[in-house]
Amino acid sequence: MSSDLANPTFSDPSATTAAHLNGVARISGLGVIRALGEQAAQFLQGQLTQDVVLLPVGGSRLAAFCNPKGRMLASFRVYKRSADELLLVTSINTLPATLKRLTMFVMRAKVKLSDASGDFAIYGAMGEAAQALPQHATQSIAASAGAESAEGQNDAQPVVIALPAADGAPRALCLLPTGAAAPAGPALPEADWRWAEVRAGVARVVPPVVEAFVPQMLNYESVDGVSFKKGCYPGQEVVARSQFRGAIKRRAFVAHVAGAAEAGQEVFDTSAPDQPVGLIAQAAPAPGGGTAVIVSLQLSAEHAADLRVGAADGPRLAGLQLPFALLADV
């Protein structure tokens, strides 16, 4: 791990963490792109930052889709269902543009891309519910075991994707056939899931920050979201140069805003307020008040005494700390 990730500053000032959360939430903010065909893995290999070809069947990884300048257009949890079928779980509000752009590069490749969001109900599980999810997910679709979509022959099988923990609490996504019973577990409000997603510190790309970051600005290379051993993909030269020539000047931190905040807002240092020093990548209201955020911040501003959101006199941003996924490895 890079040395610039090894020194968290001070702890989160909010009174609570997500460590206590336990339950299952229906997720409305995610959708699914299906890649189907004998060359599905090879096609995605040439488009994403992840080594999709070496991903085992039943495995999942974080990945980014970049423009030629290495800026992230979308982010995914890639799940390989079979040798010729992969599911890309992504932000629902970036999905149409992402699917359109990916389709432009298919050309003669033997792969069909489609929006499969309507085929699945997506759930997020935390705590003990996440640990029990594989068994409960299988039970929940027993009554609909014959359900298959026209394109996917495995839709009756549950998809369980492990996610980085939030403050130590296990998290996972579960994709079930539309209409199947929800996984067993206490009901968890989606607002709590969104907050925990921010607390976990792995930002997904949403419309306000499309093309705002190279993957390292969101720590993707540190949470296995970038493979530096695979072949070319759009923006690969920029991403590699940032990694190996010491050009990374921003990193993502979890923080707390004493007020409202949202993705796309700039962060200012009051000691030099003329230029922003950071950008909020993802935000969610915190149960104890204020807003939990993932902020991509200039490393030179990491120890600034007074950071503000939106303007030099905006709500204060404090409690910068490393995402739990990185702290666990320090």
Side-chain angles (χ1 to χ4, degrees):
M1 183 179 301
S2 301
S3 60
D4 56 75
L5 289 177
N7 295 307
T9 56
F10 43 95
S11 62
D12 192 323
S14 61
T16 58
T17 72
H20 66 284
L21 293 180
N22 174 50
V24 178
R26 178 68 184 267
I27 308 301
S28 62
L30 297 175
V32 181
I33 295 173
R34 191 198 310 272
L36 188 65
E38 61 183 271
Q39 294 181 329
Q42 290 88 341
F43 170 76
L44 292 175
Q45 182 83 347
Q47 301 300 323
L48 307 184
T49 59
Q50 187 54 255
D51 195 326
V52 179
V53 169
L54 292 183
L55 182 65
V57 171
S60 65
R61 296 257 178 88
L62 179 67
F65 178 43
C66 300
N67 68 15
K69 295 182 179 180
R71 297 279 169 160
M72 296 170 66
L73 295 165
S75 58
F76 311 99
R77 292 285 169 178
V78 181
Y79 181 87
K80 185 178 280 188
R81 268 189 141 174
S82 66
D84 59 2
E85 183 182 7
L86 295 99
L87 303 178
L88 312 180
V89 183
T90 189
S91 298
I92 191 70
N93 44 13
T94 61
L95 190 153
T98 302
L99 178 58
K100 181 178 180 180
R101 188 176 180 94
L102 278 171
T103 302
M104 290 171 52
F105 299 105
V106 169
M107 294 181 283
R108 296 183 181 179
K110 295 178 180 179
V111 57
K112 182 178 181 180
L113 304 177
S114 63
D115 181 353
S117 304
D119 296 331
F120 299 99
I122 302 178
Y123 295 89
M126 288 199 63
E128 294 179 1
Q131 294 174 318
L133 193 54
Q135 176 184 352
H136 289 162
T138 301
Q139 293 171 350
S140 73
I141 64 168
S144 57
E148 294 181 352
S149 72
E151 294 183 331
Q153 298 303 305
N154 302 309
D155 283 353
Q157 299 301 316
V159 171
V160 177
I161 300 174
L163 299 176
D167 299 316
R171 294 190 312 132
L173 287 175
C174 180
L175 280 62
L176 297 177
T178 299
L188 184 72
E190 186 175 3
D192 285 355
W193 171 267
R194 291 180 183 272
W195 172 59
E197 183 180 30
V198 172
R199 290 291 304 166
V202 181
R204 56 184 169 86
V205 175
V206 293
V209 294
V210 168
E211 297 186 292
F213 307 112
V214 297
Q216 290 95 329
M217 292 180 183
L218 295 181
N219 305 338
Y220 267 45
E221 88 295 354
S222 296
V223 288
D224 202 21
V226 180
S227 171
F228 294 102
K229 296 180 180 180
K230 57 166 283 184
C232 294
Y233 55 87
Q236 186 256 351
E237 291 184 4
V238 176
V239 175
R241 186 164 60 247
S242 297
Q243 185 71 17
F244 298 114
R245 295 188 179 180
I248 303 170
K249 298 180 180 180
R250 292 175 180 257
R251 284 295 191 182
F253 298 86
V254 176
H256 186 82
V257 178
E262 58 187 20
Q265 283 190 295
E266 294 176 324
V267 174
F268 294 84
D269 180 353
T270 57
S271 67
D274 293 338
Q275 296 292 330
V277 296
L279 186 68
I280 293 177
Q282 196 167 339
T291 309
V293 299
I294 301 172
V295 57
S296 182
L297 192 70
Q298 291 178 11
L299 293 176
S300 60
E302 179 184 354
H303 300 286
D306 192 8
L307 296 173
R308 301 283 174 157
V309 173
D313 59 352
R316 189 166 187 258
L317 181 145
L320 288 174
Q321 62 181 136
L322 293 176
F324 182 85
L326 299 183
L327 280 172
D329 293 332
V330 172

